[in-house]
Amino acid sequence: MDKRVALIGIIIEKYEAAQKINSILHEYGDYIIGRMGIPYRKREISIISIALDAPSNIISALSGKLGMIEGAYTKTIYSKTPKEEKS
């Protein structure tokens, strides 16, 4: 199956959602290229971006699980075309 690069953006508005998000991200750790989290105390939210290299179905499953968490809002963007890894 072709792998794609994707970016999932997450905004957390409820502190309790952070633990659930971290647990789910741990499950998909093999596909995560990098992760950046920014606590924005002025607005009492956190912003997380997750870079992935994974099959489309894995990216969709992760995005769907994250999107079901109350107090967390997500958007996913994909690279245009799947590409083979270079040796």
Side-chain angles (χ1 to χ4, degrees), residues 66-83:
L66 293 171
M68 294 179 68
I69 297 173
E70 184 179 343
Y73 306 93
T74 67
K75 282 290 182 182
T76 305
I77 56 174
Y78 293 83
S79 59
K80 286 201 179 243
T81 55
K83 293 187 178 180

Side-chain angles (χ1 to χ4, degrees), residues 12 15-16 19 27 29 34 39 51 53 57 69 78 80 86:
I12 302 171
Y15 179 78
E16 304 80 39
Q19 265 189 329
E27 290 176 41
D53 186 0
N57 63 324
I69 297 173
Y78 293 83
K80 286 201 179 243
K86 292 183 180 179

Side-chain angles (χ1 to χ4, degrees), residues 1-86:
M1 180 175 283
D2 288 328
K3 293 170 85 178
R4 295 180 74 179
V5 173
L7 178 68
I8 300 177
I10 308 166
I11 294 180
I12 302 171
E13 292 186 345
K14 291 187 178 180
Y15 179 78
E16 304 80 39
Q19 265 189 329
K20 294 177 185 175
I21 289 170
N22 285 326
S23 177
I24 292 169
L25 293 177
H26 182 74
E27 290 176 41
Y28 290 85
D30 291 343
Y31 302 103
I32 295 175
I33 301 167
R35 168 183 172 166
M36 178 178 62
I38 304 168
Y40 189 19
R41 290 181 182 88
K42 182 178 177 181
R43 298 255 185 177
E44 297 181 356
I45 64 171
S46 293
I47 303 161
I48 301 173
S49 61
I50 309 295
L52 302 160
D53 186 0
S56 296
N57 63 324
I58 297 292
I59 297 168
S60 294
L62 172 56
S63 182
K65 286 180 181 182
L66 293 171
M68 294 179 68
I69 297 173
E70 184 179 343
Y73 306 93
T74 67
K75 282 290 182 182
T76 305
I77 56 174
Y78 293 83
S79 59
K80 286 201 179 243
T81 55
K83 293 187 178 180
E84 297 278 332
E85 290 182 32
K86 292 183 180 179

